[in-house]
C-alpha cells in the first residue's frame, strides 16, 4: 500500500513536470508568433488573422497547465510568517489544510468547468472569430489544468505526512 | 459586520499558509455559494481572465529579462556604468543604482533587477570595502526601480484590473522612477563621504569605449521597446514579444547563450508567470464575489462619508497600504486592495493613472520592509548574508520611498506631466 501511494506521488510529480515544461514552451512559442505578427504587419504589410487568437488560447492553456508545476516547485505565493518550523505538527496540519483548500477550489472549478465544456461540445460551439476554433478545445484548459492541480495537491499532502521535511522543496523565490 | 467577517476570513486563510491565489479563489467561491449565485461563474471568470492579449505582456517581458539575465547582461551594464562613474565618490554605489535603472528599462520585475545586478555588484562592492548593510540595502532598494521604470509588471496588472491605459501608466512611471534613482545616487555619494570605501581609479577612454560597446545593445533594446510602444508601432505585448526575440538573437550573437541557458530562462519565466497569473485569476473571482456583496461600495461609502478631504483620504490609504505591505506580498496587495479602493478614488476625483504610480511606490517600500519583503529575501540569498544586515541597510531607502510617495501627492505632475502634457 505504502509503495502504491509513493508511486502515485512519483507519477503526479512527473505529470506536473511534463505539463509545466509544455506550458513553458507554449509561452516561448507565443513570443515568437507575436513578433512574427509585428514583422508581417510592418515589414510585409500583411497582418495575420490568427496570431491574436492563437496566442490568447496558448496563454489560457499554458497558465492553467503550469499551476501544478508551480505547486510542485513551491513557487505559489504564501504569507510565510506563521508555523515556520517545518518539523512541527502544527506546520504539517496548516500545510495540509492549505492543500485541502486548493483541492476544494479545484474540484468546484473542474465540476463547473466540465459542465460548460460538455454543453459547448454537444452544441458544437466555436469562438466568435474568423478562425472559429471549437470551444471543446479552448474551454478544456480549465478542467484539465485544475484537475491536475487537485491531483498534485493530493500528492503534496502525502509528501507532507510521509516524507522527511528536509526532503521537501523549500519555498522558491521566483523572478 | 459582513465586510469585516469576509476580510477576516481572508486574513485567516492567508495566516494558515493557504497560497494567496487559492485563498482568494476559494473564499470567492464560498461567498458566491452563500448568496445562492451560480458557481458556473467560476470557470467563466478564470477563463476570461487569461483570455487577454494585454496580459500577454507579462510572460513576454519576463521571458525577455530572463534571457538577458542568463546572457550576462547585468555584468555588461555594471561594467559599463562603472567605467564612467566608478571614480566618483561612492562610485560603485552610484554604478549599482545606475545599472539597476538601466536594467529596469528592460525588466518589469523588482526581484529580477535586484538578483541580476546584485549577483555582479555585491562581490565587487564587498571587495572594495563597502559597508555590508549599505551594499545589501542599496541592492534591495535599487531592484525595486524595476517596477516603477517601464516596463513594469505591476503596472501591467494594474492597467488590466482597472482598465486604464498601460502605455500611459508606463509613461507616468518614468518621472518618479528617475527621480527616485537620483535620490538613491545622491544618498550613495553622501554615504561614501561618511567613511565608506574609496572610489575606483578613473577609467581611460579605451576602457570606457570597450565597456560601453558591450552594454550598448541592451540600451538600444530598452529604447526600442519603449519607443515602439509610444510611436504606436506595437502594443506593450507585441513590443515584449519582439524584445524577447531580439534578446535571444542578441545573446546568441554575443556568444552568451546556449541551449541549456535558454531552457533555464524559459522555465524560470514560467514559474513567475504562472505564479502571477493564478493570483490575478484568484483575485478576479474574489473581487467579483465581494462586488456582489457590495463590499467595495460599503468601504468606499464609509471612507467618503468620514473623510471628505482627498489629502486625508490618500494619507489614510497610504497608511493602510504601508501596514498591509509589512505582511502581504506586493502583487497580492495590489490585487486585493485596488478593487476595494477604486470606487472611492473615482468618487474623490483622484486620477487613476496617478494612483497607479502612488500604489507602486508604496509597493516598492513593501518589498524592502520586513517581515514579508521579497527583495530582502532575494538579496539575502544572492549576498549570502543575514536578513538583519539587509534590513539594516534597507530602512533608509524605505524612508526615501515614503518621502517620494508624499512628494507625489503634493507634486502630481511628477507622474502626470510626461503622459498628459508631453505626449
Amino acid at each position: 500500500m505504502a509503495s502504491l501511494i509513493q508511486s502515485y506521488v512519483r507519477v503526479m510529480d512527473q505529470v506536473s513536470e511534463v505539463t509545466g515544461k509544455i506550458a513553458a514552451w507554449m509561452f516561448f512559442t507565443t513570443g515568437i508568433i507575436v513578433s512574427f505578427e509585428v514583422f508581417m504587419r510592418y515589414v510585409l504589410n500583411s497582418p495575420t488573422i490568427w496570431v491574436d487568437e492563437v496566442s490568447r488560447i496558448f496563454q489560457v492553456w499554458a497558465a492553467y497547465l503550469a499551476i501544478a508545476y508551480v505547486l510542485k516547485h513551491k513557487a505559489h505565493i504564501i504569507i510565510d510568517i506563521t508555523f515556520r518550523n517545518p518539523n512541527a505538527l502544527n506546520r504539517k496540519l496548516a500545510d495540509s489544510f492549505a492543500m485541502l483548500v486548493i483541492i476544494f477550489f479545484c474540484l468546484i472549478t473542474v465540476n463547473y468547468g466540465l459542465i460548460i465544456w460538455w454543453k459547448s461540445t454537444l452544441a458544437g460551439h466555436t469562438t466568435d472569430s474568423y478562425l472559429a476554433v471549437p470551444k471543446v478545445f479552448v474551454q478544456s484548459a480549465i478542467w484539465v489544468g485544475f484537475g491536475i492541480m487537485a491531483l498534485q495537491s493530493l500528492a503534496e499532502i502525502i509528501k507532507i505526512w510521509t516524507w522527511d521535511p528536509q526532503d521537501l522543496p523549500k519555498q522558491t523565490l521566483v523572478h | 459586520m459582513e465586510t469585516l467577517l469576509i476580510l477576516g476570513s481572508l486574513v485567516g486563510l492567508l495566516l494558515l499558509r493557504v497560497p494567496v491565489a487559492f485563498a482568494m479563489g476559494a473564499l470567492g467561491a464560498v461567498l458566491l455559494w452563500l448568496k445562492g449565485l451560480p458557481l458556473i461563474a467560476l470557470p467563466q471568470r478564470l477563463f476570461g481572465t487569461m483570455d487577454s492579449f494585454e496580459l500577454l505582456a507579462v510572460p513576454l517581458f519576463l521571458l525577455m529579462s530572463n534571457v538577458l539575465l542568463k546572457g550576462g547582461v547585468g555584468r555588461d551594464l555594471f561594467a559599463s556604468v562603472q567605467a564612467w562613474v566608478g571614480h566618483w565618490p561612492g562610485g560603485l554605489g552610484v554604478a549599482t543604482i545606475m545599472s539597476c535603472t538601466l536594467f529596469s528599462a528592460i525588466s518589469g520585475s523588482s526581484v529580477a533587477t535586484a538578483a541580476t545586478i546584485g549577483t555582479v555588484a555585491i562581490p565587487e562592492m564587498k571587495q572594495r570595502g563597502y559597508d555590508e548593510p549599505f551594499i545589501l540595502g542599496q541592492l534591495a532598494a535599487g531592484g525595486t526601480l524595476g517596477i516603477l521604470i517601464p516596463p513594469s509588471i505591476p503596472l501591467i496588472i494594474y492597467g488590466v484590473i482597472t482598465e486604464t491605459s498601460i502605455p500611459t501608466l508606463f509613461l507616468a512611471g518614468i518621472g518618479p522612477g528617475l527621480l527616485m534613482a537620483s535620490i538613491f545616487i545622491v544618498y550613495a555619494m553622501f554615504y561614501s563621504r561618511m567613511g565608506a570605501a574609496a572610489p575606483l581609479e578613473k577609467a581611460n577612454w579605451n576602457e570606457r569605449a570597450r565597456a560601453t560597446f558591450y552594454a550598448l545593445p541592451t540600451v538600444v533594446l530598452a529604447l526600442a521597446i519603449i519607443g515602439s510602444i509610444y510611436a504606436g508601432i506595437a502594443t506593450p505585448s507585441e513590443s515584449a514579444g519582439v524584445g524577447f526575440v531580439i534578446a535571444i538573437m542578441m545573446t546568441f550573437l554575443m556568444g552568451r547563450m546556449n541551449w541549456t541557458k535558454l531552457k533555464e530562462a524559459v522555465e524560470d519565466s514560467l514559474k513567475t508567470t504562472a505564479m502571477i497569473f493564478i493570483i490575478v485569476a484568484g483575485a478576479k473571482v474574489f473581487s467579483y464575489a465581494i462586488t456582489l456583496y457590495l463590499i467595495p461600495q460599503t468601504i468606499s461609502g464609509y471612507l467618503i462619508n468620514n473623510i471628505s478631504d482627498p489629502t486625508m483620504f490618500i494619507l489614510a490609504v497610504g497608511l493602510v497600504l504601508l501596514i498591509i505591505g509589512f505582511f502581504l506580498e506586493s502583487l497580492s496587495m495590489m490585487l486585493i486592495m485596488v478593487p476595494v479602493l477604486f470606487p472611492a478614488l473615482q468618487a474623490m476625483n483622484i486620477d487613476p493613472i496617478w494612483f497607479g504610480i502612488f500604489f507602486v511606490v508604496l509597493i516598492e517600500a513593501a518589498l524592502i520592509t520586513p517581515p514579508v519583503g521579497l527583495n530582502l529575501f532575494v538579496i539575502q540569498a544572492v549576498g549570502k548574508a543575514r536578513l538583519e544586515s539587509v534590513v539594516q541597510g534597507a530602512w533608509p531607502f524605505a524612508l526615501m520611498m515614503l518621502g517620494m510617495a508624499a512628494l507625489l501627492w503634493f507634486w502630481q505632475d511628477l507622474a502626470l506631466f510626461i503622459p498628459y502634457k508631453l505626449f
Side-chain angles (χ1 to χ4, degrees), chain B residues 220-282:
Chain B
V220 171
L221 177 60
L223 291 174
I225 288 166
I226 300 300
S228 66
I229 295 173
Y230 298 112
I233 295 170
T235 63
S237 302
E238 289 175 339
S239 162
V242 173
F244 163 58
V245 172
I246 293 175
I248 295 177
M249 294 195 294
M250 197 175 99
T251 47
F252 265 111
L253 286 175
M254 290 166 89
R256 303 272 189 80
M257 185 53 66
N258 55 38
W259 173 242
T260 313
K261 284 183 183 174
L262 183 64
K263 228 168 68 171
E264 281 171 12
V266 171
E267 286 169 16
D268 284 353
S269 311
L270 175 79
K271 281 185 199 156
T272 317
T273 301
M275 175 273 280
I276 293 172
F277 275 4
I278 192 67
I279 296 182
V280 176

Side-chain angles (χ1 to χ4, degrees), chain B residues 79-84 201-214:
Chain B
S80 162
V81 180
Q82 191 182 323
W84 288 95
E201 305 76 45
K202 193 172 179 177
N204 62 39
W205 285 101
N206 267 345
E207 288 167 335
R208 284 180 177 178
R210 201 171 45 245
T212 307
F213 175 76
Y214 281 108

